[in-house]
Amino acid sequence: MLSPIRAIAIAAVSTVAAGAGWWGLNAMQQAANTNATNSSSTTVMNSANTTASCTTGDQSACGLPSNVVIDMAKTAVKRTDAEWRKLLTPTQYDVARNQGTEPSFHNEYWDNHADGVYFSVGSDTPLFDSKDKFESGTGWPSFTKPIDPAFVAETVDKSYGMVRREVHCTVDGDHLGHVFDDGPPDKGGLRYCINSASLKFMPRKDYDAWVALHTPKADATSAKAADSSATAKK
């Protein structure tokens, strides 16, 4: 059974550029698992050798760009390079499509404390909730988990002599950042270190309206019937 948010997201994206049509659950659940070029000397990045204190300009695990191959054949939203360049700003394109990394502490959402939901910059796909955002001290937006695991896939990144876990949106293939295991222990222990340039923020009030607009009619009818039944029993 689809989770409510997954069903809503499926209903939200109907047609896209470059002739792509409807997309469904399989397109979101298939993670790109291709590995980057092997390095002769690698260091596994974990809580023993990464910290949450990346300063501006640090060539740290979370401050380096990625060098992985994302299987775009598994994505549902497909656009030509020219279309991506037209849709995104130069910074968004460099980060989301070229797997770059924006400067720490000099990006849009690292210090954003507003209540709402962060979508992929390349599609109407809700990725992270502000309720799961925390202060990591890294200068990039950090989250303990995605809204739905089906929306965020991981690929092993072996660039720069390290083994990292690159994360990207399964729907449009946008590079998001990396995930490390030095997050809050009481909330699963993960830290999704995400680039602001790969995100677009929607305030909670607007998100609630978006959910209502894109909720499949069958689900909305069932919810209304359940609410009426509960009211009648009071």
Side-chain angles (χ1 to χ4, degrees), residues 11-227:
V13 179
S14 56
T15 57
V16 296
W22 290 93
W23 60 274
L25 177 60
N26 288 339
M28 295 190 298
Q29 290 181 318
Q30 292 177 332
N33 293 319
T34 53
N35 294 343
T37 303
N38 290 335
S39 171
S40 59
S41 177
T42 58
T43 301
V44 176
M45 307 311 295
N46 52 43
S47 57
N49 53 32
T50 59
T51 67
S53 57
C54 304
T55 58
T56 304
D58 261 0
Q59 294 301 296
S60 57
C62 50
L64 292 170
S66 297
N67 184 22
V68 301
V69 177
I70 298 173
D71 188 355
M72 296 299 176
K74 295 182 178 180
T75 63
V77 173
K78 302 181 187 298
R79 295 184 173 92
T80 65
D81 184 68
E83 288 169 335
W84 282 119
R85 288 180 182 276
K86 184 176 180 180
L87 175 70
L88 306 174
T89 67
T91 298
Q92 290 172 334
Y93 179 86
D94 178 62
V95 173
R97 308 311 298 180
N98 281 343
Q99 302 167 316
T101 298
E102 65 197 2
S104 59
F105 300 101
H106 293 282
N107 55 77
E108 189 171 4
Y109 299 129
W110 78 272
D111 199 31
N112 182 32
H113 300 285
D115 182 36
V117 170
Y118 295 83
F119 282 64
S120 171
V121 75
S123 62
D124 281 338
T125 307
L127 298 177
F128 299 97
D129 196 301
S130 64
K131 295 176 181 178
D132 301 312
K133 191 171 185 287
F134 69 99
E135 294 297 328
S136 64
T138 63
W140 287 279
S142 298
F143 304 88
T144 57
K145 63 180 181 181
I147 285 179
D148 192 312
F151 298 154
V152 178
E154 298 180 15
T155 300
V156 176
D157 181 0
K158 294 184 178 180
S159 56
Y160 303 100
M162 297 176 285
V163 177
R164 298 177 295 168
R165 291 151 61 194
E166 184 273 348
V167 291
H168 54 274
C169 176
T170 57
V171 177
D172 53 49
D174 277 359
H175 165 68
L176 303 175
H178 288 82
V179 58
F180 302 95
D181 67 352
D182 56 4
D186 60 334
K187 295 185 178 181
L190 296 179
R191 171 172 61 94
Y192 285 82
C193 188
I194 308 299
N195 289 281
S196 292
S198 296
L199 304 173
K200 51 186 176 183
F201 178 74
M202 186 179 291
R204 183 72 60 186
K205 182 178 180 180
D206 295 336
Y207 176 69
D208 290 341
W210 180 88
V211 169
L213 179 65
H214 294 98
T215 299
K217 292 183 179 179
D219 291 351
T221 300
S222 298
K224 185 176 181 180
D227 183 61

